[in-house]
Amino acid sequence: MSKSESNFLRVKCGDCGNQQIVFDHAASKVECIICGKSLVKSKGGKSEIVAQIIEVMD
Ligand SMILES: [Zn+2]
């Protein structure tokens, strides 16, 4: 069992309220599937969550 800091997160789009699941170590940026607002920004392997985090999933 590896200890990982990677998680799936349920986030809420600040613009349209859509909730979707994102990976916090996504290799690329993630956008809201409804309105296209950035939810995760990729910074060279480390992701910055720019949406509201609702829940951290195991
Ligand atoms: Zn949205």
Side-chain angles (χ1 to χ4, degrees), residues 5-11 24 53-58:
E5 295 183 1
S6 300
N7 289 296
F8 287 97
L9 308 171
R10 184 190 304 277
V11 299
D24 72 351
I53 298 173
I54 303 295
E55 180 183 9
V56 177
M57 324 268 295
D58 289 327

Side-chain angles (χ1 to χ4, degrees), residues 6-34:
S6 300
N7 289 296
F8 287 97
L9 308 171
R10 184 190 304 277
V11 299
K12 182 177 183 180
C13 175
D15 278 8
C16 73
N18 172 54
Q19 292 185 18
Q20 68 188 69
I21 307 300
V22 302
F23 186 52
D24 72 351
H25 280 56
S28 59
K29 66 179 181 177
V30 178
E31 296 176 340
C32 175
I33 59 173
I34 304 297

